[in-house]
């Protein structure tokens, strides 16, 4: 299967390269990528609102200023590409939207609707106090 996917990806890359100039190709890709960058950064605000007490091992530097600037920059780039290069923006959007039917197909064929929680792995954690009065924890996958 990996060989088939590599051939398909190679053919698709050749079609994209032959479809226009390198500048057009990068405009389409950058347009699509910055939609996802903006959405990911916006999700920081959404998760902080929905789950204010959640453990966060990584802190966002400069929150809320830096993420706000990033979201605004992504929105400006999105709008600029639509107005300055509408053809590339449209093609980039169409290329992204072609993934939706594949997503639905994989979702339909790979997820059991009646019991989705059984797919999760259970982990058992046990802790003991050592003779040196240090807490030692061990985990095992069930």
């Amino acid at each position: 299967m990996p060989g088939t996917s590599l051939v398909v990806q190679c053919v698709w890359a050749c079609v994209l390269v032959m479809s226009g100039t390198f500048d057009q190709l990068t405009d389409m890709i950058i347009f699509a990528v910055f939609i996802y960058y903006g959405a990911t950064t916006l999700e920081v605000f959404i998760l902080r609102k929905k789950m204010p007490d959640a453990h966060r091992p990584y802190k966002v530097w400069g929150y809320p200023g830096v993420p706000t600037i990033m979201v605004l920059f992504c929105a400006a780039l999105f709008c600029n590409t639509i107005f300055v290069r509408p053809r590339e923006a449209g093609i980039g959007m169409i290329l992204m939207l072609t993934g939706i039917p594949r997503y639905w197909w994989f979702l339909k064929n790979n997820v059991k609707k009646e019991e989705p929680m059984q797919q999760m792995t259970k982990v058992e954690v046990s802790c003991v106090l050592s003779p040196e009065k240090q807490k030692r924890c061990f985990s095992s996958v069930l």
Side-chain angles (χ1 to χ4, degrees):
M1 240 358 185
T4 306
S5 64
L6 285 173
V7 170
V8 170
Q9 187 174 8
C10 177
V11 169
W12 181 244
C14 290
V15 167
L16 288 176
V17 168
M18 297 298 180
S19 66
T21 66
F22 186 73
D23 187 42
Q24 291 172 328
L25 186 61
T26 56
D27 285 346
M28 287 185 278
I29 291 170
I30 290 172
F31 175 77
V33 166
F34 271 87
I35 291 172
Y36 291 112
Y37 288 164
T40 302
T41 307
L42 187 61
E43 190 63 27
V44 170
F45 294 106
I46 294 169
L47 286 176
R48 297 251 174 150
K49 180 101 170 149
K50 285 185 175 182
M51 300 168 37
D53 298 326
H55 174 68
R56 292 180 174 81
Y58 177 78
K59 304 290 183 195
V60 176
W61 182 84
Y63 181 83
V66 173
T68 301
I69 292 169
M70 178 65 178
V71 170
L72 293 174
F73 175 78
C74 291
L77 185 69
F78 175 80
C79 294
N80 181 54
T81 306
I82 288 175
F83 291 117
V84 175
R85 309 285 293 243
R87 178 179 177 270
E88 286 78 11
I91 294 171
M93 187 64 75
I94 289 169
L95 288 174
M96 284 192 322
L97 294 176
T98 59
I100 292 175
R102 295 290 294 175
Y103 170 76
W104 286 335
W105 183 81
F106 280 114
L107 191 65
K108 178 182 166 190
N109 292 326
N110 293 332
V111 176
K112 296 178 183 176
K113 293 182 182 177
E114 60 273 356
E115 298 180 35
M117 294 302 288
Q118 286 186 348
Q119 295 175 354
M120 296 177 67
T121 304
K122 295 180 182 177
V123 177
E124 179 181 310
V125 178
S126 54
C127 297
V128 294
L129 197 58
S130 70
E132 299 87 27
K133 304 288 186 206
Q134 294 179 348
K135 187 176 180 181
R136 299 184 188 262
C137 296
F138 307 93
S139 63
S140 59
V141 178
L142 302 175

